[in-house]
Amino acid sequence: MISKCVRQALEELELPDYLPEEIRSRYRLIGFREAMEKIHFPGSQEDVVMARRRLVFDEFLAFLIQIKRQKKENAGLLIDRPLQPTEDTDRLIAALPYQLTGAQQRVWKQIEADLTGHMAMNRLVQGDVGSGKTILAFLALLVCSANSRQGCLMAPTEVLAVQHFEALTEMTEKYGLCTKPILLTGSMTSKQKKEAYARIKSGDADVIIGTHALIQDKVEYRDLALVVTDEQHRFGVRQRECLANKGEGVHVLVMSATPIPRTLAIVLYGDLEVSVLDEMPKNRLPIKNCVVDPSFRKKAYAFLEAQVEAGHQVYVICPMVEAGEDSADGLENVTDYTEKLKAALNSSIRVAAMHGKMKAAQKQEIMDAFGAGQIDVLVSTTVIEVGINVPNATVMLVENAERFGLAQLHQLRGRVGRGHAQSFCIFMTGDGSGAKNKRLDVLNHSNDGFFIANEDLKLRGPGDLFGIRQSGDLDFGLGDIYQDSDVLMLAGELADQVLSGDVVLPEKEFGLFEKSIDYRTI
């Protein structure tokens, strides 16, 4: 039935091609109509490869033209009222219970120079998990407060937004900062939101921390000077732009813990200056890793028990929420696994479950309990992947590790190793491949996200048609920045030529194409 409908749609649709034949030939691309027909009804493996290559090229080109246009618009955007340097930041840096790393000091100088300059900042801070990006964001927001201006920090999840809000509130009280933080999230009641809107509009709140709620029409800022987006890959260019448009001449600071090889970063983040935090805090012990198959499960459980008895906490990650979500057999799910773990571990060990289908308030309640040490073992999906900070958690056990992308596994591993105690990460394969798995072997022997990203790039071949979804990477419909890195580079080259006027695409056809492309990433 679906096949019949698709065939009919393809017959009736006009599918004009915005790419002239000369350009298609140069980049080895088939026609747009041919690609649409072959991706749905391929006659051979080669048909699928060629169709997918063309559609991925289109997706990348639309994205890159958008961000390169954005860079052109941002370049030379003058700031009427530059922010003034403040001693408040020096006082905070001196009062912190730890010393900033050399990389943090270097990147902070770059951010401070941008904030106090006459041009709008558009900077990406790219740093491995645990490299200390959050304190740099707080310092930048403190500059806004000291100048009687407003700054906001947008996080991808409510759990992370609440965590940032609580951390900044605690620092404000502890160090006597001039910041007046407020939280704004989608799950707040109408009354709470109304009160927040009033405080933001009047300027009574000068640091606004929240989720996508920050970009809604109802939110009016009195004098917005800085927008910080945490875990940048979760927000597209248009969302950042929408938030920046809430003020005049707004600085933009974006942060990402997803390490991307420099060659790709230059293309993907073409609208931003890139700063890299390539140094970890000195008091952190490197995480010890191991890759095992299910025959080691009993030993793994005994190890979890020993860590809990020593006063530490544990994360266990499953790929599914409940049974029956995936056609593949043998995949662990949070619902059943939680019961299995309760039966297998000592009855005194407190086990709880968390997943993305829960309401935000319920997830927050569980994370608060875990953070307060009232839960010993948290069984979860990858909902805990981004930014969760519980220094007492020392073990991460990932079930069916072969099902996750390398970047995602590295992000997950970053939830442990945040305190002074030795931390461990156990990657358990469900397919029995264990240490023979090449991708997992990379993680087993390195904690360096940038090294892992480069190895991931080498390990992916053109035969890996639809790749392994890298949660945390840019969310393209078909394209994969690692597997399709060659296509990404070619699309970047053409995007530059289009914007410089060296290549002129037919206006009508290209306009239709731009409107029809899936802009989730933009």
Side-chain angles (χ1 to χ4, degrees):
M1 178 70 170
I2 292 171
S3 273
K4 190 178 174 185
C5 291
V6 172
R7 276 192 193 279
Q8 192 177 342
L10 284 171
E11 283 167 15
E12 293 185 14
L13 274 176
E14 270 190 61
L15 295 171
D17 200 331
Y18 71 94
L19 284 181
E21 194 177 336
E22 183 258 322
I23 289 174
R24 294 203 303 269
S25 172
R26 187 196 311 169
Y27 292 116
R28 295 189 300 111
L29 299 169
I30 61 175
F32 184 56
R33 170 168 281 283
E34 187 185 353
M36 290 299 278
E37 286 171 351
K38 284 182 173 174
I39 199 81
H40 290 102
F41 305 103
S44 65
Q45 178 82 349
E46 191 184 354
D47 280 355
V48 184
V49 172
M50 294 309 291
R52 185 181 173 282
R53 178 184 167 86
R54 168 61 202 261
L55 298 176
V56 166
F57 184 91
D58 289 348
E59 200 172 22
F60 285 163
L61 183 67
F63 173 77
L64 293 171
I65 282 178
Q66 176 75 4
I67 65 166
K68 286 171 187 289
R69 274 188 190 140
Q70 183 80 11
K71 186 172 187 178
K72 268 191 167 183
E73 287 168 19
N74 290 339
L77 183 62
L78 286 167
I79 298 289
D80 290 336
R81 293 177 295 147
L83 298 170
Q84 298 303 309
T86 172
E87 289 180 6
D88 292 27
T89 52
D90 297 332
R91 278 198 294 270
L92 176 57
I93 291 168
L96 290 171
Y98 54 85
Q99 192 175 353
L100 294 186
T101 64
Q104 282 175 310
Q105 291 174 40
R106 181 185 73 243
V107 173
W108 168 239
K109 281 186 180 131
Q110 292 169 344
I111 294 168
E112 190 178 38
D114 285 347
L115 289 173
T116 55
H118 290 272
M119 310 294 282
M121 169 171 72
N122 275 283
R123 185 170 293 278
L124 166 73
V125 175
Q126 195 185 16
D128 216 337
V129 281
S131 60
K133 297 179 293 299
T134 307
I135 188 61
L136 299 182
F138 287 175
L139 286 166
L141 292 165
L142 179 55
V143 173
C144 295
S145 297
N147 278 266
S148 301
R149 306 281 298 279
Q150 288 174 308
C152 64
L153 192 163
M154 185 159 71
T157 66
E158 291 209 7
V159 169
L160 189 52
V162 170
Q163 184 177 288
H164 283 323
F165 173 70
E166 288 174 350
L168 184 58
T169 302
E170 188 184 327
M171 285 177 77
T172 300
E173 291 166 3
K174 187 175 179 181
Y175 302 116
L177 305 181
C178 60
T179 50
K180 293 174 286 186
I182 193 170
L183 182 68
L184 182 60
T185 64
S187 69
M188 287 164 62
T189 64
S190 296
K191 187 185 175 190
Q192 288 172 325
K193 285 179 186 170
K194 228 174 187 176
E195 288 170 1
Y197 296 154
R199 287 190 61 198
I200 294 165
K201 189 174 181 179
S202 69
D204 179 45
D206 58 13
V207 176
I208 302 91
I209 297 175
T211 53
H212 290 78
L214 299 182
I215 60 176
Q216 289 174 349
D217 292 339
K218 289 179 183 174
V219 188
E220 291 180 50
Y221 298 85
R222 185 182 66 82
D223 195 0
L224 187 63
L226 170 68
V227 166
V228 183
T229 59
D230 193 11
E231 295 303 334
Q232 185 271 338
H233 49 274
R234 303 291 175 107
F235 302 111
V237 176
R238 282 189 176 170
Q239 287 170 317
R240 295 206 309 264
E241 186 183 357
C242 179
L243 192 47
N245 287 341
K246 293 276 190 180
E248 287 182 23
V250 176
H251 295 288
V252 177
L253 177 64
V254 293
M255 316 189 89
S256 178
T258 303
I260 293 175
R262 184 160 177 76
T263 48
L264 302 189
I266 289 166
V267 178
L268 287 167
Y269 299 128
D271 59 328
L272 304 163
E273 297 295 325
V274 180
S275 294
V276 178
L277 286 173
D278 50 8
E279 194 179 340
M280 297 298 277
K282 291 181 173 61
N283 61 349
R284 296 272 172 92
L285 291 169
I287 297 166
K288 291 185 177 177
N289 309 289
C290 67
V291 180
V292 295
D293 59 44
S295 66
F296 284 80
R297 194 181 303 282
K298 200 173 175 184
K299 278 186 182 176
Y301 285 179
F303 183 69
L304 302 192
E305 283 187 329
Q307 284 290 304
V308 171
E309 281 167 21
H312 299 301
Q313 290 163 280
V314 175
Y315 293 106
V316 177
I317 305 299
C318 298
M320 298 196 306
V321 174
E322 51 200 14
E325 282 184 27
D326 196 296
S327 57
D329 291 327
L331 291 186
E332 299 292 354
N333 70 82
V334 169
T335 310
D336 294 340
Y337 198 97
T338 303
E339 296 310 311
K340 184 163 81 174
L341 211 51
K342 283 177 181 175
L345 300 180
N346 189 308
S347 59
S348 64
I349 293 175
R350 298 161 296 180
V351 182
M354 188 170 84
H355 52 75
K357 289 185 179 178
M358 290 176 170
K359 288 185 176 173
Q362 197 180 357
K363 283 189 284 189
Q364 191 58 53
E365 197 179 314
I366 293 166
M367 276 316 304
D368 287 346
F370 189 65
Q374 294 158 8
I375 295 169
D376 300 312
V377 179
L378 182 61
V379 183
S380 175
T381 54
T382 56
V383 72
I384 63 105
E385 167 198 347
V386 177
I388 303 301
N389 186 31
V390 180
N392 191 46
T394 56
V395 184
M396 166 75 64
L397 166 61
V398 184
E399 289 283 356
N400 300 109
E402 76 284 356
R403 298 281 296 185
F404 299 96
L406 276 184
Q408 186 174 28
L409 286 171
H410 182 60
Q411 280 273 354
L412 287 166
R413 176 169 60 185
R415 298 313 104 218
V416 295
R418 292 175 163 260
H420 299 296
Q422 178 64 60
S423 287
F424 307 86
C425 194
I426 305 163
F427 301 107
M428 192 170 289
T429 61
D431 60 2
S433 62
K436 294 174 195 166
N437 188 303
K438 280 185 184 176
R439 291 171 51 257
L440 295 178
D441 192 52
V442 172
L443 284 166
N444 196 15
H445 290 96
S446 177
N447 291 316
D448 181 342
F450 290 96
F451 170 78
I452 289 163
N454 279 299
E455 289 303 299
D456 199 10
L457 196 57
K458 291 177 197 169
L459 284 171
R460 286 168 177 247
D464 183 10
L465 260 187
F466 288 91
I468 293 166
R469 275 276 162 244
Q470 290 279 13
S471 172
D473 285 347
L474 290 144
D475 185 20
F476 292 105
L478 275 182
D480 179 309
I481 61 168
Y482 293 88
Q483 176 192 324
D484 304 308
S485 56
D486 58 330
V487 181
L488 180 70
M489 296 300 182
L490 294 174
E493 181 186 296
L494 182 59
D496 285 334
Q497 291 171 357
V498 169
L499 292 174
S500 68
D502 292 342
V503 168
V504 179
L505 299 177
E507 198 173 322
K508 184 184 171 188
E509 286 83 351
F510 185 63
L512 283 170
F513 158 69
E514 280 204 297
K515 281 178 189 170
S516 68
I517 198 80
D518 183 346
Y519 272 111
R520 278 176 305 164
T521 47
I522 297 174

